[in-house]
Amino acid sequence: MGDALNYLKTAENSKFDIIILNPPPFSDNSSDIKEAIKSYIIINSFALLRLPDYGILATSSTTPYIDEKLFLKILQKSSINAKCQVRVLEINTQPQDHTYNLSYEDGRYLKFVILQKLPPP
């Protein structure tokens, strides 16, 4: 296969009922968080463009420097870029078998959101 972002960019006439994104963290430290945010916005925007109205986007962030609130803002910006609305169907974090230590804040890094693409306002 290939790079998911490149595929989404070049699949102009393709529509998928569901897209599942599990991109890399895009950031190894807090100093390049702006680039990570930009990358998450780009990949989620292209994914939304490839969905029909009422399609499903399951997307995640594994960057410990992006919390749930910021990730939802990223997804909102992605929907604006894709000229659509999105409905949050589910928000999750790490499953019970993926524990983390409270003294290591970066250990709780996974955010997982399931969205439904809605028609433009």
Side-chain angles (χ1 to χ4, degrees):
M1 186 113 181
D3 178 86
L5 179 57
N6 288 335
Y7 181 78
L8 290 169
K9 283 180 176 180
T10 59
E12 282 186 42
N13 296 321
S14 299
K15 291 287 184 185
F16 305 94
D17 293 329
I18 184 169
I19 295 175
I20 301 169
L21 289 180
N22 185 21
F26 294 130
S27 174
D28 292 332
N29 56 60
S30 59
S31 65
D32 55 351
I33 194 68
K34 287 183 181 184
E35 282 301 311
I37 291 168
K38 182 179 173 185
S39 296
Y40 280 116
I41 290 171
I42 290 169
I43 197 166
N44 283 287
S45 297
F46 276 104
L48 287 168
L49 287 169
R50 301 301 169 244
L51 288 171
D53 289 345
Y54 307 103
I56 302 295
L57 173 60
T59 186
S60 64
S61 166
T62 57
T63 305
Y65 313 106
I66 293 177
D67 61 15
E68 181 181 300
K69 185 177 178 180
L70 178 54
F71 191 50
L72 291 173
K73 286 183 180 183
I74 287 167
L75 296 174
Q76 180 184 27
K77 176 65 176 159
S78 299
S79 71
I80 291 168
N81 290 350
K83 296 179 175 53
C84 67
Q85 297 183 74
V86 291
R87 176 185 304 150
V88 176
L89 301 178
E90 188 169 337
I91 299 175
N92 279 304
T93 59
Q94 292 162 209
Q96 292 177 356
D97 66 344
H98 198 75
T99 60
Y100 57 92
N101 189 327
L102 287 177
S103 63
Y104 179 62
E105 193 174 309
D106 291 352
R108 188 171 184 213
Y109 59 86
L110 180 62
K111 283 76 56 190
F112 181 76
V113 180
I114 301 175
L115 302 171
Q116 183 177 41
K117 179 180 176 179
L118 301 175

